[in-house]
Amino acid sequence: MQVVKEQITRALTIKPNSLDQFKSRLQNLSYTEILKLRQSERMNQEDFQSRPILELREKIQPEIMELIKQQRLNRLCEGTCFRKISSRRRQDKFWYCRLSPNHKVLHYGDLEESPQGEVPHDSLQDKLPVADIKAVVTGKDCPHMKEKGALKQNKEVLELAFSVLYESDEYLNFIAPDKHEYCVWTDGLNALLGKEMSSEFTRSDMDTLLNMEMKLRLLDLENIQIPEVPPPIPKEPSNYDFVYDCN
């Protein structure tokens, strides 16, 4: 009955001009939709903007970021097939790159055609120790994006380009197959170098996982007011006869 009452109340807030419009609004406000609205409003209540909740969010964030980091590194260990794009229109060529399970070496090599699954490490001819990587650059800062030709004018390719710089002037150039792989690889490589993962996918994953974790941890606090300050510490007992020495 509470849900039905809420359905009617919410339907009337739009001030329907006819009974048909009112009925249409009621149909859109299903039981599931009402629960979603309640949950969303609950997260925006003052209690969830209080200092204890904000401190809990801040405490959880490093755990979530470590989870995202491990996911990115695991994805690099699986590897990705990259396409060699040339300004001249020739037959597509492919190469594969993957991180070793101990996160110390990048294995890569050319392929005759796009693989159907993971490519084993021993079939990739070249290696790049992670310790030799100096920096990761993206977009127009990549060496292969500075070259003359059509690539420089292709905005879509420019947004998917990144390079690994190593030694003095050596570099390994990438053009990701899509935006998701681009974010995964740039995040993973930055994580290997101890730098911040700043892609839009990381921010999205952080928001999703953090909100989910907060909801799970606060399930037991339904309809309970969270105090702004912690409760006072009780006085010390008059004696400690209840303490036992197990030795």
Side-chain angles (χ1 to χ4, degrees):
M1 289 302 296
Q2 288 179 347
V3 173
V4 172
K5 179 182 178 181
E6 191 166 344
Q7 285 174 319
I8 296 173
T9 304
R10 289 181 182 272
L12 290 173
T13 55
I14 65 169
K15 298 181 179 179
N17 297 320
S18 65
L19 187 60
D20 290 338
Q21 190 177 358
F22 176 66
K23 289 179 179 179
S24 176
R25 178 59 177 163
L26 282 177
Q27 289 177 352
N28 293 331
L29 290 170
S30 63
Y31 178 75
T32 304
E33 184 64 22
I34 291 292
L35 290 183
K36 287 181 180 178
L37 290 170
R38 283 180 174 180
Q39 192 175 47
S40 176
E41 291 171 358
R42 179 170 170 261
M43 289 301 295
N44 293 324
Q45 288 174 358
E46 274 189 29
D47 285 349
F48 289 87
Q49 301 301 321
S50 63
R51 192 176 68 179
I53 298 300
L54 296 176
E55 288 178 355
L56 178 59
R57 287 179 67 91
E58 188 175 342
K59 181 180 178 182
I60 293 174
Q61 280 185 359
E63 302 175 16
I64 302 297
M65 186 58 73
E66 183 62 26
L67 186 66
I68 295 172
K69 175 183 174 181
Q70 291 303 319
Q71 188 275 335
R72 299 293 191 265
L73 294 177
N74 289 340
R75 184 65 190 81
L76 263 61
C77 289
E78 294 175 7
T80 301
C81 177
F82 297 94
R83 180 172 295 169
K84 287 187 174 181
I85 299 180
S86 173
S87 57
R88 300 175 183 177
R89 293 190 175 182
R90 294 180 178 178
Q91 187 176 3
D92 288 341
K93 293 184 178 180
F94 302 92
W95 68 290
Y96 199 89
C97 186
R98 64 183 300 180
L99 181 65
S100 62
N102 60 6
H103 301 167
K104 292 184 178 181
V105 180
L106 284 176
H107 297 264
Y108 63 97
D110 293 338
L111 300 175
E112 293 296 328
E113 57 183 6
S114 180
Q116 298 301 315
E118 292 184 19
V119 177
H121 295 95
D122 52 12
S123 64
L124 300 172
Q125 308 90 347
D126 301 301
K127 298 179 181 180
L128 172 60
V130 172
D132 291 347
I133 298 177
K134 305 299 182 185
V136 177
V137 294
T138 60
K140 61 183 180 180
D141 295 326
C142 298
H144 58 317
M145 292 293 106
K146 295 178 180 179
E147 298 172 359
K148 294 181 180 179
L151 285 178
K152 191 175 181 181
Q153 307 302 325
N154 193 330
K155 184 179 178 182
E156 183 180 350
V157 172
L158 192 67
E159 291 177 348
L160 299 176
F162 60 98
S163 297
V164 171
L165 308 183
Y166 61 99
E167 294 183 357
S168 55
D169 57 351
E170 298 292 327
Y171 45 84
L172 191 61
N173 295 323
F174 297 78
I175 297 177
D178 52 49
K179 190 65 175 178
H180 180 265
E181 288 296 317
Y182 169 84
C183 291
V184 166
W185 273 86
T186 52
D187 281 343
L189 291 170
N190 281 321
L192 287 172
L193 299 178
K195 297 182 179 180
E196 182 183 1
M197 298 185 296
S198 56
S199 76
E200 58 187 77
F201 273 59
T202 292
R203 293 192 292 271
S204 176
D205 288 348
M206 171 62 77
D207 290 341
T208 301
L209 294 173
L210 186 57
N211 288 335
M212 188 182 300
E213 184 66 20
M214 288 293 295
K215 290 173 183 177
L216 289 173
R217 295 199 181 196
L218 297 175
L219 279 176
D220 293 335
L221 297 179
E222 184 81 36
N223 299 323
I224 296 178
Q225 186 175 2
I226 301 171
E228 284 290 335
V229 295
I233 300 174
K235 295 180 180 180
E236 291 190 15
S238 57
N239 62 71
Y240 291 88
D241 294 341
F242 55 87
V243 177
Y244 296 97
D245 188 357
C246 297
N247 295 327

